[in-house]
Amino acid sequence: MSHPVILGVGYAVPDNKVSNDDLSKVIDTNDEWITERTGIKTRYISKDENTSDLAVRAALKAIDDAHIDPKVIDCIIVATLTPDAMMPCTAALVQAKLNLSHQRMMVFDLNGACSGFLLALQTVDALIQSAQVTTALIIGSETLSKILDYTDRGTAVLFGDGAGAFLVSSSSNAHPWTHFVNTQGDLEDTLSTDGLSLNASLKNIQGETPYLRMKGQAVFRFAIRAVEDAIRQVILKSNLSLDEIDLIIPHQANARILGHVADKMNFPLSKFVMNMDEFGNTSSASIPIAFAQAKAKGLIHKDMHVLLVGFGAGLIWASSLIEL
Ligand code: ACO
């Protein structure tokens, strides 16, 4: 049976880098509070690039890294909670912007919030194993600044814009990947935005906003449980031990969450890749950005066991264990 292999990775962020000090000029906050509570120092905020634009730039880097002809791509999935529009899906816009519109392809968006990239990765694995797809672009891309309320200092300082991409191909020699995912839907109000109202055009809707809302401490408690659970469950399924994991690439929400998990699991924090200091929380883009940056820094090598772990709105938590 064929399994996926990662041929190339890439990431892209907007030019506009915003520091905690910059934010403190427009919000009642300060560098010390943000750094101590989250580990975040800067984030990138888009001025003119939408989610599909960042996705395309990350995709082009992944294609370049893979050294393949993009004409072999037969699937594009964009994981995002901030699409350019309700329709068409961002993945179709990416196909067009990559000049791949005239080749047979399955494209769609997937919204699993901060676990979205792993849900897309797990979907592509299944599509490759069932021989529906041979070469896929899996992209996590967000312009979260579109849904941030800059009067809410509890959320506005946490998030950033960016995109990361994997170019994945079917191979008969690849090591199988192991996955885990779980959801607790009745905690949906912990992390959410308003949607569109039924019959909105007939009513004068007051008080609805597009903004992200979060119960920070509830999410913090959930995240500590979820990250540990996702790590333990995927290791259990893989028949490996925790010691055999070379690197954990987690969703980049908060350095303190990862510190708690590392302590509790007695696992070295140095094996967690962390870059939220530079990028903030980029939701579905955070894991592929962290992976691509770690690869560029020479931290990722063949035959390593790399564990990816995500958690976020839904509430959904997920993990994938990849042997490179
Ligand atoms: N700057 C300065 N002060 C602030 C800020 C800010 N940006 N935000 C809140 N405060 C103040 C509050 O008003 C409060 O003041 P008070 O004591 O006078 O009332 C005080 O700081 C403490 O506020 P808390 O909300 O209790 O702060 P907490 O220690 O819980 O930290 C945080 C908040 C960082 C959001 C934390 O709860 C957290 O990290 N939660 C997890 C969030 C997360 O990871 N979300 C993303 C995961 S899912 C996804 O990625 C979509």
Side-chain angles (χ1 to χ4, degrees), residues 68-269:
I68 57 145
D69 179 349
K71 293 207 162 39
V72 299
I73 295 168
D74 57 5
C75 175
I76 301 173
I77 304 181
V78 176
T80 186
L81 66 100
T82 49
D84 288 27
M86 296 279 278
M87 62 177 184
C89 64
T90 314
L93 301 176
V94 170
Q95 184 201 28
K97 290 178 184 182
L98 289 173
N99 291 319
L100 299 174
S101 296
H102 297 288
Q103 61 195 67
R104 191 197 63 78
M105 205 182 280
M106 174 195 288
V107 308
F108 59 95
D109 287 5
L110 180 158
N111 179 354
C114 308
S115 300
F117 185 79
L118 293 188
L119 297 183
L121 191 85
Q122 298 183 7
T123 303
V124 163
D125 189 350
L127 289 168
I128 284 179
Q129 287 193 49
S130 64
Q132 285 200 72
V133 157
T134 63
T135 310
L137 261 175
I138 313 168
I139 306 170
S141 186
E142 303 286 6
T143 44
L144 292 164
S145 54
K146 290 192 297 205
I147 59 164
L148 289 182
D149 176 357
Y150 284 98
T151 66
D152 175 12
R153 64 181 181 173
T155 54
V157 302
L158 303 176
F159 297 92
D161 300 335
F166 282 13
L167 196 299
V168 163
S169 175
S170 167
S171 162
S172 48
N173 304 318
H175 299 285
W177 296 350
T178 312
H179 305 294
F180 164 80
V181 64
N182 201 354
T183 308
Q184 190 175 345
D186 64 359
L187 293 178
E188 47 80 26
D189 69 336
T190 331
L191 196 50
S192 60
T193 66
D194 287 333
L196 298 180
S197 293
L198 284 171
N199 298 319
S201 58
L202 303 178
K203 299 184 215 155
N204 184 13
I205 307 288
Q206 298 287 328
E208 290 192 358
T209 71
Y211 298 135
L212 181 151
R213 286 187 302 257
M214 183 178 71
K215 295 179 182 165
Q217 293 185 357
V219 174
F220 197 96
R221 285 193 297 275
F222 152 74
I224 287 170
R225 268 190 296 117
V227 174
E228 180 177 358
D229 186 47
I231 293 172
R232 290 206 189 280
Q233 298 280 355
V234 80
I235 287 176
L236 204 66
K237 276 176 88 175
S238 71
N239 293 323
L240 292 174
S241 69
L242 192 53
D243 298 344
E244 290 171 279
I245 304 304
D246 298 296
L247 217 52
I248 297 184
I249 303 189
H251 170 48
Q252 305 286 314
N254 185 319
R256 274 197 306 148
I257 291 173
L258 302 175
H260 272 78
V261 173
D263 272 359
K264 186 138 182 274
M265 299 186 73
N266 200 16
F267 187 76
L269 189 59

